[in-house]
Amino acid sequence: MKKLGILLVVIATLFSCESGPQKKILKSANGRVNSLLVVIKNSEWQGEIGDELRKILGEPVVGLPQPEAQFVVSQIPPENFGSMFRGSRSVLQVGIGDENAFNTNTDVYAAPQKIITITGTSNEEIIAQIKENSSELVSVFKNADLVAVQRRILKKFWNPTKIKTFEKQGYSIKIPQSYTKVEDDGDIVWYRYHLNGGESMEIFTYTVPITSEDDLNGNNIVTIRNEFGKKYVPGQIEGSHMITEEAYTPHIFEINFKEKKAFETRGKWEVKGVFMAGPFLSYTVVDKPNNRLVIAEGLTYAPGVNKRDYMFEIEAILKTLVID
């Protein structure tokens, strides 16, 4: 009787294994964010196809004090794309094929992973595919990296319902618990992450009422942030405060932020009267039902070092903004 029971269990197990879907077990992807593995023949990488790819992948990130490319790129020929490299987080495969195509696949050899494959029937057709899909090429990898950063840094975040300003104003973002509170007075939120020495990353959120068409069209963004800096972000000497860098106009892009009209602003900040400066990124969201602009901004102060990855982390945090 005991043997019969064991046999029935074995049969049931085999039946369930055969009838159920087979779930593929993937290893964890490796590689840093903003890094990209390009799989392409050496001759093609060193020729016109490689030139076109470098033009796109090496384009400087907008708003940084020093030029920094969007991606750190590594290249290998297809015959070297074995198990050692297949676990890479972001992979771009390019080469001659039977059709002209641009395809994106997710979690092929590892997870999380994005693989974009570009093929063409000739070098000219490959270049045409690259040019035609350049924006999507960048956004696929960038969006995947943003999700990866959010997953890493937001394992623990401050409870938005415990932040006074968020509860009062009816909006919130997820701020990692590695950031410490500087201000939360019901009108503004200010959190800081300490880097080396006196260097830091800062997160601000606040709202302002909509008073004109210029507010709706993004024409007052610099004025609004300068007024905020004067009121809330003093410098080290009397009368000094944070402003938008006066020498250069920031880059302002109209975007769709979770189905709301918004403006993404990238530029440089400085402290008036003090030798301090760095990059900033802000999202100004038009909240028409409440007749206001909801502003989430982050900046970095880290002189002498590259800041692309710092600002990328700030972008990941700011994009968790939710308006009730």
Side-chain angles (χ1 to χ4, degrees):
M1 189 70 178
K2 185 176 180 181
K3 290 182 179 179
L4 178 60
I6 294 173
L7 180 61
L8 290 173
V9 169
V10 172
I11 292 173
T13 302
L14 290 173
F15 180 81
S16 63
C17 288
E18 290 177 0
S19 60
Q22 296 293 314
K23 188 174 182 179
K24 188 176 181 180
I25 299 175
L26 298 170
K27 62 181 180 181
S28 296
N30 58 65
R32 298 172 60 87
V33 297
N34 298 316
S35 295
L36 180 61
L37 177 67
V38 180
V39 183
I40 184 175
K41 288 182 178 179
N42 292 336
S43 58
E44 293 171 346
W45 178 245
Q46 292 160 6
E48 293 181 349
I49 295 175
D51 290 342
E52 192 62 39
L53 287 172
R54 282 186 287 275
K55 190 187 307 180
I56 296 166
L57 304 177
E59 184 177 350
V61 177
V62 172
L64 297 182
Q66 294 84 30
E68 293 184 58
Q70 297 190 79
F71 298 99
V72 175
V73 177
S74 301
Q75 178 264 333
I76 61 170
E79 60 268 23
N80 289 355
F81 188 52
S83 57
M84 177 179 171
F85 292 105
R86 286 182 176 175
S88 300
R89 182 195 307 277
S90 301
V91 180
L92 173 61
Q93 297 178 308
V94 182
I96 297 292
D98 296 330
E99 60 179 351
N100 303 319
F102 178 97
N103 296 306
T104 301
N105 291 289
T106 301
D107 300 346
V108 179
Y109 305 108
Q113 183 184 58
K114 288 291 182 183
I115 296 181
I116 291 179
T117 303
I118 300 176
T119 58
T121 54
S122 65
N123 286 359
E124 291 73 22
E125 291 294 346
I126 292 175
I127 292 172
Q129 286 295 314
I130 293 170
K131 288 181 177 179
E132 182 181 341
N133 297 283
S134 60
S135 295
E136 185 177 355
L137 170 62
V138 172
S139 65
V140 165
F141 290 128
K142 286 294 183 184
N143 290 338
D145 278 346
L146 279 171
V147 172
V149 171
Q150 288 172 337
R151 186 182 296 117
R152 174 175 57 82
I153 68 174
L154 294 176
K155 289 178 180 177
K156 293 182 178 180
F157 58 90
W158 296 111
N159 185 347
T161 65
K162 303 298 183 182
I163 297 177
K164 183 196 310 182
T165 304
F166 291 164
E167 282 296 280
K168 178 182 175 182
Q169 300 291 344
Y171 71 89
S172 67
I173 63 172
K174 293 179 179 178
I175 303 173
Q177 288 188 4
S178 54
Y179 286 64
T180 56
K181 182 174 70 175
V182 178
E183 186 63 83
D184 172 27
D185 65 359
D187 292 321
I188 74 159
V189 168
W190 180 358
Y191 275 71
R192 172 179 295 146
Y193 178 74
H194 291 277
L195 298 167
N196 297 322
E199 300 172 356
S200 66
M201 296 159 65
E202 316 281 342
I203 297 290
F204 306 101
T205 69
Y206 56 100
T207 66
V208 295
I210 295 172
T211 60
S212 68
E213 282 296 315
D214 283 335
D215 290 337
L216 291 171
N217 295 329
N219 295 329
N220 285 339
I221 287 174
V222 171
T223 300
I224 290 169
R225 77 176 306 275
N226 286 348
E227 290 175 352
F228 171 82
K230 184 176 182 178
K231 185 175 182 180
Y232 292 106
V233 192
Q236 296 172 321
I237 63 175
E238 186 176 350
S240 65
H241 57 273
M242 183 186 73
I243 61 172
T244 308
E245 187 180 58
E246 293 181 317
Y248 300 97
T249 302
H251 301 267
I252 300 175
F253 310 93
E254 183 174 334
I255 62 171
N256 182 314
F257 192 98
K258 300 177 182 178
E259 305 307 316
K260 290 182 182 293
K261 179 181 179 179
F263 299 92
E264 178 183 279
T265 306
R266 294 178 181 268
K268 292 184 276 293
W269 61 272
E270 62 184 356
V271 176
K272 193 174 183 67
V274 179
F275 190 67
M276 290 182 69
F280 78 88
L281 165 67
S282 75
Y283 291 97
T284 303
V285 183
V286 178
D287 182 19
K288 274 193 173 181
N290 294 300
N291 193 44
R292 65 181 181 173
L293 302 176
V294 178
I295 299 165
E297 176 175 319
L299 59 84
T300 296
Y301 176 64
V305 301
N306 290 336
K307 302 168 186 64
R308 179 196 60 198
D309 291 349
Y310 291 152
M311 295 307 297
F312 197 73
E313 176 174 316
I314 285 173
E315 180 179 350
I317 295 170
L318 300 184
K319 283 187 172 177
T320 66
L321 173 66
V322 175
I323 301 173
D324 294 345

